[in-house]
């Protein structure tokens, strides 16, 4: 086969197929392969008119079709499938070729794969791709990690197919070496979980404390979408809430089983945060809220537990409450981003990735699920001060969250009083108050540790590490 393809895509399920079409629509000749050839043939038959595809029946045919240096995008299931496909292709490739993993890989796997392929002289670009089915076709947000040489080989291609941002720039940037791209994509998903949970809590409060119908709450979300909360997820929420089930005539949200599923990147975000020692309590609450929702038997056990019945608000109080919920939602959202970005910052230091948080915020502004007007300001905050220790250290965000704190507290206490669960709102507020507390009860915790386990402690009034012999009240200096 004469090598004419600019790029290859292997793995043609929903994401791979749409990414291949996106590439073809941009004038690239795309060699396509899938383990089950029927998928590859269906793509060529159904969408062949959109551009130039080369049907590869095997990895050997795929490699033979690609111009050098070969650019192969792998879009198969994360985990073992990705390893299997890389193992199949690696012996067929030459030094200087580049393999892109566009799946939702765990960043540790990406680091391992990058190192293994580097040994053979093959470049590896671990690339987060966000935007779902539609994004892959019309322009996703792309988060690549790998060597600068690997990125250079793909940059023009990725630039062409990425989402266009409001300022005309493309939602793609080289984020750092090896696992940096997949790490940023993982945290993106964790933040997405938090965003969705916060929105769900806002809806739940308006439904059960204000007593409003989904259609009326849809109007509230539409209004919010015209303000500082403007985002894809708020827009989607308004549409879902305004939707009625054709069969039953009921609000659509009422006919859906209230058990949310998850694929795993939210869980990875929290697991990784625990390993790094970074508090991402808002994201963790969102992951746990999904998990709790699915525990049907446990929830049935709890159904008989006592609690207050929410007292529905009158019109005037409901309007005030709606404003409190908006403030709580916005402030909690800022906290979730602060936590997620802190996690990226910590990983960047641990792994020597040198990730620029302004760039991260910039590539999240279009194409992906968490795209939001407010990300312009997040980018600006880190452009002004790339070493910002927290998003809450930015005077603009600190001012906004500070101004929201009273209504935020009222919304959280209203939820607690009426027995409406709002775990992510409450966790975000606790994080905020923990940051602003001059003293935390951690002093007591550390004293307990010293009491029962001789774990030592540091003092506020002099340097060194100490242990107290609690039986004799004698303090020993353990080290300076
Ligand atoms: P998406 O999220 O895009 O819908 P996915 O579930 O992440 O898809 O991945 C599915 C793709 O991985 C399919 O192309 C699948 O190939 P088949 O169509 O033959 O099932 C591919 N895939 C899964 N395991 C694979 C393996 N061991 N080797 C090659 N391809 C594999």
């Amino acid at each position: 086969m004469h090598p004419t393809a600019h790029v290859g895509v292997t793995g043609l399920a929903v994401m791979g197929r749409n990414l291949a079409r996106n590439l073809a629509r941009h004038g690239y000749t795309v060699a396509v392969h899938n383990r089950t050839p029927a998928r590859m043939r269906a793509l060529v038959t159904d969408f062949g008119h959109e551009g130039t595809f080369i049907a590869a029946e095997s990895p050997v045919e795929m490699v033979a079709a690609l111009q050098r240096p070969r650019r192969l995008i792998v879009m198969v299931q994360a985990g073992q499938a990705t390893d299997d496909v890389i193992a199949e292709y690696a012996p067929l490739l030459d030094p200087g070729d580049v393999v892109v993993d566009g799946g939702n890989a765990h960043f540790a796997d990406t680091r391992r794969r990058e190192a293994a392929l580097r040994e053979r002289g093959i470049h590896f670009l671990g690339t987060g791709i966000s935007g779902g089915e539609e994004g892959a076709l019309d322009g996703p947000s792309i988060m690549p990690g790998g060597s600068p040489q690997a990125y250079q080989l793909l940059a023009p291609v990725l630039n062409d197919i990425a989402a266009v941002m409001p300022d005309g720039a493309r939602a793609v940037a080289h984020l750092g070496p090896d696992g940096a791209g997949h790490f940023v994509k993982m945290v993106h998903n964790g933040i997405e979980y938090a965003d969705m949970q916060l929105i769900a809590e806002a809806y739940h409060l308006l439904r059960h404390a204000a007593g409003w119908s989904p259609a009326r709450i849809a109007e509230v979300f539409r209004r919010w979408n015209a303000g500082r909360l403007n985002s894809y997820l708020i827009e989607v929420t308004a549409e879902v809430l305004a939707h009625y089930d054709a069969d039953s005539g009921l609000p659509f949200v009422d006919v859906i089983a209230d058990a949310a599923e998850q694929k795993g990147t939210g869980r990875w975000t929290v697991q990784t945060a625990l390993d790094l020692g970074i508090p991402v309590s808002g994201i963790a609450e969102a992951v746990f809220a999904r998990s709790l929702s699915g525990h049907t038997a446990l929830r049935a056990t709890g159904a008989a537990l006592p609690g207050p019945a929410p007292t529905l608000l009158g019109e005037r109080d409901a309007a005030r409450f709606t404003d409190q919920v908006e403030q709580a939602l916005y402030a909690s959202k800022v906290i979730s981003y602060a936590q997620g970005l802190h996690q990226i910052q910590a990983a960047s230091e641990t792994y020597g990735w040198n990730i620029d948080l302004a760039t991260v915020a910039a590539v999240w502004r279009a194409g992906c699920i968490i795209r939001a007007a407010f990300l312009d300001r997040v980018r600006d905050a880190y452009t002004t001060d790339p070493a910002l220790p927290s998003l809450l250290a930015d005077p603009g965000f600190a001012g906004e969250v500070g101004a929201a704190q009273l209504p935020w507290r009222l919304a959280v206490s209203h939820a607690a009083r009426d027995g409406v669960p709002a775990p992510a709102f409450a966790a975000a507020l606790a994080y905020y108050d923990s940051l602003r507390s001059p003293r935390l009860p951690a002093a007591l915790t550390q004293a307990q540790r010293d009491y029962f386990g001789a774990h030592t402690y540091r003092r506020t009034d002099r340097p060194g590490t100490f242990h107290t012999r609690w039986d004799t009240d004698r303090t020993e200096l353990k080290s300076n």
Side-chain angles (χ1 to χ4, degrees):
M1 196 185 292
H2 182 63
T4 55
H6 301 114
V7 60
V9 178
T10 185
L12 300 171
V14 179
M15 292 295 284
R17 183 190 60 206
N18 280 0
L19 201 79
R21 290 174 60 199
N22 187 348
L23 287 159
R25 287 174 176 189
H26 280 89
Y28 292 99
T29 298
V30 190
V32 285
H33 172 256
N34 193 66
R35 177 181 61 179
T36 311
R39 269 199 165 129
M40 178 273 290
R41 292 182 199 133
L43 165 63
V44 176
T45 309
D46 297 345
F47 302 106
H49 60 279
E50 291 185 351
T52 311
F53 294 104
I54 296 176
E57 295 279 345
S58 66
V60 170
E61 279 190 28
M62 165 67 98
V63 168
L66 291 171
Q67 290 180 358
R68 290 164 191 249
R70 301 184 185 93
R71 295 181 286 203
L72 175 68
I73 305 181
V74 178
M75 295 297 291
V76 303
Q77 234 161 33
Q80 191 57 47
T82 305
D83 279 320
D84 292 348
V85 169
I86 291 172
E88 220 176 345
Y89 275 95
L92 306 174
L93 297 172
D94 291 312
D97 291 346
V98 57
V99 174
V100 178
D101 175 15
N104 259 334
H106 191 286
F107 77 97
D109 287 339
T110 302
R111 283 166 62 75
R112 170 175 58 76
R113 289 168 186 148
E114 198 271 342
L117 286 176
R118 191 161 9 104
E119 293 270 298
R120 312 172 79 126
I122 299 169
H123 299 294
F124 187 70
L125 208 58
T127 302
I129 299 180
S130 175
E133 187 176 353
E134 229 175 80
L137 184 61
D138 296 325
S141 167
I142 308 181
M143 296 157 246
S147 68
Q149 296 89 324
Y151 183 66
Q152 255 171 23
L153 288 170
L154 260 298
V157 179
L158 299 180
N159 215 56
D160 278 345
I161 61 166
V164 183
M165 301 202 268
D167 57 9
R170 297 290 180 150
V172 58
H174 183 219
L175 295 175
D178 57 76
H182 275 136
F183 193 94
V184 169
K185 171 61 165 56
M186 175 189 77
V187 174
H188 162 285
N189 285 23
I191 289 176
E192 179 184 317
Y193 274 54
D195 252 343
M196 291 171 72
Q197 174 65 21
L198 292 169
I199 288 172
E201 289 179 16
Y203 152 75
H204 206 55
L205 278 167
L206 293 178
R207 187 89 193 264
H208 297 287
W212 289 354
S213 69
R216 186 162 176 192
I217 301 170
E219 282 309 312
V220 172
F221 274 92
R222 271 198 201 108
R223 206 175 66 237
W224 286 351
N225 200 37
R228 60 184 176 173
L229 282 168
N230 173 265
S231 62
Y232 174 69
L233 279 170
I234 295 278
E235 184 188 321
V236 165
T237 306
E239 297 222 356
V240 170
L241 290 175
H243 190 66
Y244 281 78
D245 178 49
D247 294 337
S248 61
L250 291 169
F252 195 66
V253 71
D254 288 348
V255 299
I256 296 183
D258 59 347
E261 294 171 6
Q262 50 185 317
K263 271 194 170 172
T265 39
R267 192 170 55 233
W268 285 350
T269 308
V270 179
Q271 286 169 337
T272 307
L274 290 172
D275 291 341
L276 289 165
I278 302 301
V280 294
S281 47
I283 298 170
E285 283 298 348
V287 174
F288 285 133
R290 285 198 195 186
S291 134
L292 192 152
S293 75
H295 280 277
T296 315
L298 177 67
R299 289 175 59 193
T301 314
L305 293 171
T311 41
L312 298 188
L313 298 172
E315 264 317 295
R316 261 191 51 209
D317 287 342
R320 192 177 317 128
F321 182 63
T322 305
D323 176 59
Q324 290 167 6
V325 173
E326 191 273 346
Q327 308 249 22
L329 177 52
Y330 184 76
S332 304
K333 180 182 172 82
V334 173
I335 300 288
S336 304
Y337 281 73
Q339 293 181 345
L341 292 166
H342 184 199
Q343 183 174 354
I344 293 174
Q345 205 168 34
S348 179
E349 276 166 28
T350 301
Y351 298 106
W353 285 335
N354 210 11
I355 296 177
D356 176 39
L357 293 180
T359 305
V360 170
V363 298
W364 289 349
R365 288 180 307 148
C368 65
I369 307 294
I370 64 170
R371 60 185 182 262
F374 121 121
L375 282 164
D376 280 332
R377 295 191 34 239
V378 177
R379 179 204 50 184
D380 294 346
Y382 284 100
T383 304
T384 307
D385 183 0
L388 209 58
S390 165
L391 190 55
L392 292 168
D394 173 70
F397 283 110
E400 275 184 316
V401 173
Q405 53 129 357
L406 184 57
W408 184 14
R409 290 180 197 289
L410 291 173
V412 170
S413 51
H414 192 120
R417 193 197 65 201
D418 276 20
V420 179
F425 278 4
L429 183 57
Y431 179 87
Y432 175 79
D433 281 332
S434 297
L435 290 195
R436 44 173 293 284
S437 294
R439 291 278 293 162
L440 288 172
L444 175 60
T445 309
Q446 194 59 24
Q448 290 169 326
R449 296 184 73 241
D450 189 60
Y451 187 102
F452 63 67
H455 290 302
T456 74
Y457 56 88
R458 283 175 292 109
R459 295 181 57 103
T460 55
D461 55 355
R462 59 190 110 122
T465 304
F466 299 88
H467 168 54
T468 292
R469 301 287 302 263
W470 292 85
D471 48 350
T472 59
D473 197 21
R474 251 196 24 247
T475 291
E476 297 167 358
L477 176 65
K478 302 302 271 188
S479 66
N480 278 310

